[in-house]
């Protein structure tokens, strides 16, 4: 039997299937050193299910925009498909977005 597809978070909240729930939700969540866990189980499907149910727009509302940009930059810059010109373009765009985020966060 194959595993159901991983939940795919969207901008707005979306449901997961019962198959995804049973496959990716740990039987018992535990807290180990401040982290969710369950016997070394890969929790990627669980986290994606939570994000799908929450919706990315709602998730973004609860974390400063600058933290999202920092994460996007770290992941995007690891992409081996980026050539030097695209890497520079990405960094310039993220710097502009960071300036906007800083301004918005300063006004809060």
């Amino acid at each position: 039997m194959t595993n159901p597809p991983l939940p795919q978070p969207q901008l707005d909240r979306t449901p997961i299937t019962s198959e995804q729930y049973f496959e990716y939700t740990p039987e018992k969540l535990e807290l180990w050193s401040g982290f969710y866990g369950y016997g070394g189980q890969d929790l990627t499907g669980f986290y994606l299910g939570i994000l799908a149910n929450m919706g990315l727009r709602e998730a973004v509302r609860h974390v400063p925009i600058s933290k999202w940009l920092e994460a996007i930059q770290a992941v995007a810059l690891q992409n081996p498909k980026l050539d030097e010109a695209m890497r520079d373009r990405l960094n310039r765009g993220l710097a502009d977005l960071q300036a906007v985020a800083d301004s918005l966060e300063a006004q809060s």
Side-chain angles (χ1 to χ4, degrees):
M1 186 167 147
T2 62
N3 291 349
L6 288 168
Q8 298 298 307
Q10 303 297 315
L11 290 177
D12 295 311
R13 60 188 307 225
T14 56
I16 62 170
T17 65
S18 58
E19 291 84 8
Q20 289 170 318
Y21 173 82
F22 289 115
E23 179 65 31
Y24 300 120
T25 302
E27 291 180 27
K28 177 182 173 192
L29 270 180
E30 297 176 350
L31 188 66
W32 294 2
S33 302
F35 293 95
Y36 288 119
Y38 183 64
Q41 179 180 351
D42 179 4
L43 296 178
T44 301
F46 173 69
Y47 298 143
L48 290 171
I50 296 298
L51 281 172
N53 279 177
M54 185 176 206
L56 296 176
R57 267 188 251 269
E58 188 62 26
V60 168
R61 285 186 179 102
H62 296 282
V63 178
I65 293 171
S66 60
K67 291 294 181 190
W68 290 105
L69 292 173
E70 188 178 331
I72 290 168
Q73 182 176 22
V75 171
L77 288 174
Q78 292 175 4
N79 190 322
K81 296 177 184 177
L82 279 182
D83 62 22
E84 197 61 35
M86 289 305 289
R87 186 178 312 279
D88 290 344
R89 188 174 183 183
L90 173 65
N91 283 324
R92 285 192 311 272
L94 286 168
D96 288 344
L97 288 170
Q98 186 63 52
V100 172
D102 292 345
S103 175
L104 292 173
E105 290 169 11
Q107 294 174 16
S108 298

